[in-house]
Amino acid sequence: IIEIKNLTKIYDTGKIKVNALNGVDFSIGEGELIAIMGPSGSGKSTMMNVLGCLDKPTGGTYFLDDTDVSTMSEDRLADIRNQKIGFVFQTFNLLARTSALKNVELPMVYAKLPAAEREERARKALTAVGLGERMYHMPNELSGGQQQRVAIARALVNDPKIILADEPTGNLDSHSSEEILLIFQQLNREGKTIVIVTHEPDIAQHCKRNVVFKDGVIIADKKVETV
Amino acid sequence: IIEIKNLTKIYDTGKIKVNALNGVDFSIGEGELIAIMGPSGSGKSTMMNVLGCLDKPTGGTYFLDDTDVSTMSEDRLADIRNQKIGFVFQTFNLLARTSALKNVELPMVYAKLPAAEREERARKALTAVGLGERMYHMPNELSGGQQQRVAIARALVNDPKIILADEPTGNLDSHSSEEILLIFQQLNREGKTIVIVTHEPDIAQHCKRNVVFKDGVIIADKKVETV
Ligand SMILES: Nc1ncnc2c1ncn2[C@@H]1O[C@H](COP(=O)(O)OP(=O)(O)OP(=O)(O)O)[C@@H](O)[C@H]1O
Ligand SMILES: Nc1ncnc2c1ncn2[C@@H]1O[C@H](COP(=O)(O)OP(=O)(O)OP(=O)(O)O)[C@@H](O)[C@H]1O
Ligand SMILES: [Mg+2]
Ligand SMILES: [Mg+2]
C-alpha cells in the first residue's frame, strides 16, 4: 500500500544544507509490522514524516494506495493524516494547555465525531495505555513516559489503517514498553499496517521485518526469523 | 555529599493530588556513579528535580554538602544550579530560537565567562557528543537524538561537580548511547558524582550502584557486581 522510489529529502536553509534522505526505495504491504532502526541522524524521522504526509520529499515518488501523494490536494492530505494514518511523534507534540483526555480527543474533533463518543473512545484509549488515573492531567503534570503514552493513545483513537510510531517507547521502562508492543501486535493482527522506529532490539525482534537506515539510505531490509 | 531523608513530594492542584514521592531515604557520596530505574510514573524525574534544586519537596530533608537546601536563598540555589549541578532534562528543554551552539553556551553566560572562552568550550562539548557538524542548527533542525545530545553537552559545559541526567539516551541508538556512557564514565573517573535515570539495563550495569523506584519510594539499592 506504500511505494517509495528514489526518495530524496534535502533541508536547505541557505545557511545549512543537509541531505537527510539520499535515494530511498521502500515498499510496504498491507498488514506489515516493520521496525526501522539506525543511528541518530540517519534519516528515520524524516522518512516517517514523508510517510505520514507531514513533509514533502525533495525528489522521488511516494504512492499511497496507488495514488501519487504529490498530486493530492491539501484537503485530501489533511484527511489522510486524520483518518488513514496515526502518527506517534518522537517528541510527543501534545497541546500544552489541554488535558490528556482532550489531547486524545483531538483527532476525533477533526473527524467530527459527536462529543459523547469522543470522550468514551479517548477514555478507552488512555486506559489501554495505563493512564486511566491521569486523564485530567495537563502534559506538564505527567511523567515523560506518561506523555509518551498519551501521544500513543492519540495516534490510535481514530482507528487508522496505518500506524507510524517514531520511537514510541524511548521513555518507557521495560514493562510499559512490553504493554505498548502488545497493543501494536494486537492491532497488527487486526489488519493494521504498522511501522515503528525503535532503538530497542527487543522491539525489533517482535516485528516481522527490520529495515536499517544509515546516512539517509536503507542499508538492510530483512524478514525477522521467528525462532 | 547528598543526604535525603524521608522526602515526600505531593502535587496538589486542588483538582488532582498525586503523591509523587512517599518518604525517600537516599544518600550519595562524592564520586558515585548511580543508575536510577523504575516504572514510568514511579517518581524518578521528581526525585531528580528535587536533587537538582529545581523543585522543593513537600516534606523531609535534603542536605547538599552538609547544608540544608531548604534554608538556602534563591540566589544561592541559582548558583548551585548553574555551577555545581549539570542537569540533563528528560525532555531536553532547549531554547527553540537558539542554535545548538548558543544553547550550550547558555550556562556559561550565567557564569559570566568571556565570549571567546564560551564559544570554545561549547564547540568542544558539542564535538565530544558527535555534533561538530550541527552547531548552527536550531533545535527543530536536529533529529531527536541530536537534540538530546545538545542537552547533554549543555549540562557538562560548566564542568559541574554533580551531573544529574534524566534518561539521557532514551532517543539514542546503541552506538551513540555507548559514546554517552563513555563520557559519563570518564567524568566519573575524574571525580564527578553522576546520577543517571535510565530504562536501559546496559547502562545500569555500567554504573557502580543501582537504585530502583516504585510508587514514589526506593525498593532496591544495590552495588553493581563487577564480573
Ligand atoms: N506537576 C505535576 N502535577 C501532578 N502530578 C504530577 C506532576 N508531575 C508529575 N506528576 C505525577 O507524579 C508521578 C511521578 O512523576 P515522575 O515524572 O517523577 O515519574 P518518572 O518516574 O520520571 O516517570 P517516567 O519514567 O515516565 O519519566 C507521575 O504519576 C505523574 O503523573
Ligand atoms: N529541519 C531541518 N533542517 C536541517 N536539517 C535537519 C532538519 N531536520 C533534520 N535535519 C537533519 O537531517 C538528518 C536526519 O534527521 P532525522 O530526524 O531524520 O534523524 P533520525 O534518524 O530520526 O535521528 P534520531 O534517531 O536521532 O531521532 C539529521 O542529521 C538532522 O540534523
Ligand atoms: Mg528521529
Ligand atoms: Mg521521568
Side-chain angles (χ1 to χ4, degrees):
Chain A
I1 50 169
I2 286 176
E3 193 69 48
I4 295 229
K5 282 203 162 58
N6 208 19
L7 206 84
T8 57
K9 176 71 187 177
I10 301 172
Y11 293 110
D12 193 340
T13 64
K15 286 205 306 164
I16 51 184
K17 180 165 179 280
V18 176
N19 297 338
L21 295 175
N22 289 315
V24 176
D25 298 319
F26 194 13
S27 13
I28 301 178
E30 185 152 19
E32 289 211 54
L33 176 54
I34 300 174
I36 293 180
M37 302 184 86
S40 176
S42 55
K44 308 180 295 297
S45 294
T46 304
M47 182 79 259
M48 295 290 268
N49 290 339
V50 170
L51 285 174
C53 301
L54 296 161
D55 205 2
K56 292 200 186 311
T58 310
T61 55
Y62 172 19
F63 279 78
L64 176 63
D65 285 337
D66 303 319
T67 310
D68 186 344
V69 172
S70 63
T71 64
M72 292 181 186
S73 69
E74 199 35 57
D75 279 350
R76 177 128 183 239
L77 287 171
D79 273 347
I80 285 175
R81 285 193 296 261
N82 181 249
Q83 302 282 356
K84 199 175 240 184
I85 297 174
F87 204 105
V88 185
F89 292 90
Q90 186 170 7
T91 49
F92 322 151
N93 296 8
L94 302 177
L95 293 186
R97 295 197 189 79
T98 312
S99 68
L101 189 72
K102 293 289 176 217
N103 260 288
V104 175
E105 285 191 32
L106 201 56
M108 296 183 278
V109 172
Y110 291 140
K112 301 194 169 53
L113 265 65
E117 181 176 356
R118 289 202 311 262
E119 182 166 327
E120 181 185 343
R121 285 169 71 156
R123 284 171 178 280
K124 239 175 132 219
L126 282 167
T127 305
V129 296
L131 293 177
E133 315 245 314
R134 293 284 181 272
M135 295 199 201
Y136 301 109
H137 284 233
M138 297 293 138
N140 69 345
E141 295 171 335
L142 293 171
S143 78
Q146 289 167 345
Q147 292 174 32
Q148 188 153 40
R149 285 182 273 158
V150 175
I152 293 168
R154 182 184 58 184
L156 305 183
V157 85
N158 263 344
D159 200 34
K161 192 169 95 149
I162 298 168
I163 296 162
L164 304 176
D166 197 348
E167 298 192 35
T169 64
N171 282 286
L172 298 180
D173 57 284
S174 51
H175 177 68
S176 311
S177 286
E178 277 173 36
E179 292 189 337
I180 296 306
L181 181 60
L182 288 174
I183 291 174
F184 285 142
Q185 287 178 318
Q186 173 59 27
L187 290 166
N188 184 239
R189 277 192 294 271
E190 291 169 13
K192 308 279 184 267
T193 306
I194 305 191
V195 183
I196 306 173
V197 172
T198 182
H199 290 311
E200 303 188 37
D202 200 55
I203 305 249
Q205 282 308 308
H206 284 92
C207 294
K208 299 177 187 163
R209 173 180 167 199
N210 284 359
V211 171
V212 183
F213 273 79
K214 190 180 204 280
D215 298 328
V217 291
I218 291 178
I219 59 166
D221 188 345
K222 306 207 198 81
K223 270 199 170 62
V224 173
E225 299 306 325
T226 37
V227 182
Chain B
I1 51 170
I2 286 175
E3 193 70 48
I4 295 228
K5 283 204 161 56
N6 208 19
L7 206 83
T8 56
K9 176 70 186 177
I10 300 173
Y11 293 111
D12 193 338
T13 63
K15 286 205 304 163
I16 50 184
K17 180 165 180 280
V18 176
N19 297 337
L21 296 175
N22 289 313
V24 176
D25 297 320
F26 194 15
S27 15
I28 300 177
E30 185 151 19
E32 289 212 54
L33 175 55
I34 300 174
I36 293 182
M37 301 185 87
S40 176
S42 55
K44 308 179 296 296
S45 294
T46 304
M47 182 78 259
M48 294 291 267
N49 290 339
V50 170
L51 284 175
C53 301
L54 296 161
D55 204 2
K56 291 201 187 307
T58 311
T61 54
Y62 172 18
F63 279 78
L64 176 62
D65 285 338
D66 303 320
T67 309
D68 186 342
V69 172
S70 62
T71 64
M72 291 183 186
S73 69
E74 200 33 61
D75 280 351
R76 178 127 182 239
L77 287 170
D79 274 348
I80 285 175
R81 285 192 295 261
N82 181 249
Q83 302 282 356
K84 199 174 239 182
I85 297 174
F87 204 105
V88 184
F89 292 90
Q90 185 169 7
T91 49
F92 323 150
N93 295 9
L94 302 178
L95 293 186
R97 296 196 187 78
T98 312
S99 69
L101 190 71
K102 292 288 175 218
N103 259 289
V104 175
E105 285 191 31
L106 201 56
M108 295 183 279
V109 173
Y110 291 139
K112 300 194 169 54
L113 264 65
E117 182 176 355
R118 290 203 308 263
E119 180 165 329
E120 183 187 342
R121 284 168 73 155
R123 284 171 178 280
K124 238 174 134 217
L126 282 167
T127 306
V129 296
L131 292 178
E133 315 244 317
R134 293 284 181 273
M135 293 199 203
Y136 302 108
H137 284 233
M138 297 293 136
N140 69 344
E141 295 172 334
L142 293 170
S143 78
Q146 290 167 344
Q147 292 175 33
Q148 187 154 41
R149 285 182 273 159
V150 175
I152 292 168
R154 182 184 59 183
L156 305 183
V157 85
N158 263 344
D159 200 35
K161 192 168 94 150
I162 299 167
I163 297 161
L164 304 176
D166 196 347
E167 297 191 37
T169 64
N171 282 286
L172 298 180
D173 56 284
S174 51
H175 176 68
S176 309
S177 287
E178 277 173 36
E179 292 189 339
I180 296 306
L181 181 60
L182 287 174
I183 291 174
F184 286 142
Q185 287 180 317
Q186 174 57 28
L187 291 166
N188 183 242
R189 277 193 292 271
E190 291 169 13
K192 308 277 186 267
T193 305
I194 306 191
V195 183
I196 305 172
V197 172
T198 182
H199 289 311
E200 302 188 39
D202 201 55
I203 305 250
Q205 283 308 309
H206 284 92
C207 295
K208 299 177 187 164
R209 173 180 166 198
N210 284 0
V211 171
V212 182
F213 272 80
K214 189 180 204 286
D215 298 328
V217 290
I218 292 178
I219 59 165
D221 187 346
K222 306 205 198 81
K223 267 199 170 62
V224 173
E225 300 304 325
T226 37
V227 183

